[in-house]
Amino acid sequence: MPSKLTAVSVAPPTEVQYSRGSIKTGIFKQPVAGPVRAGHYNLDEKRLERGGE
């Protein structure tokens, strides 16, 4: 049975401060509105760079 992608959430790298310094993370994700083309190896990067517009 083929897989079905039901949601895409993305985040740009965000610098987070903590007790020993800082780190860049993409953990603070937001859902992308509308369809996103899923290729064989990745998602449509141009659409994701614009925040799903």
Side-chain angles (χ1 to χ4, degrees), residues 33-52:
V36 176
R37 185 179 187 287
H40 189 72
Y41 293 106
N42 58 19
L43 301 174
D44 182 1
E45 293 178 26
K46 291 178 185 167
R47 180 153 159 66
L48 299 178
E49 288 172 2
R50 295 190 314 260

Side-chain angles (χ1 to χ4, degrees), residues 23-42:
I23 189 170
K24 284 190 178 181
T25 181
I27 194 69
F28 304 109
K29 295 179 176 21
Q30 296 292 319
V32 175
V36 176
R37 185 179 187 287
H40 189 72
Y41 293 106
N42 58 19

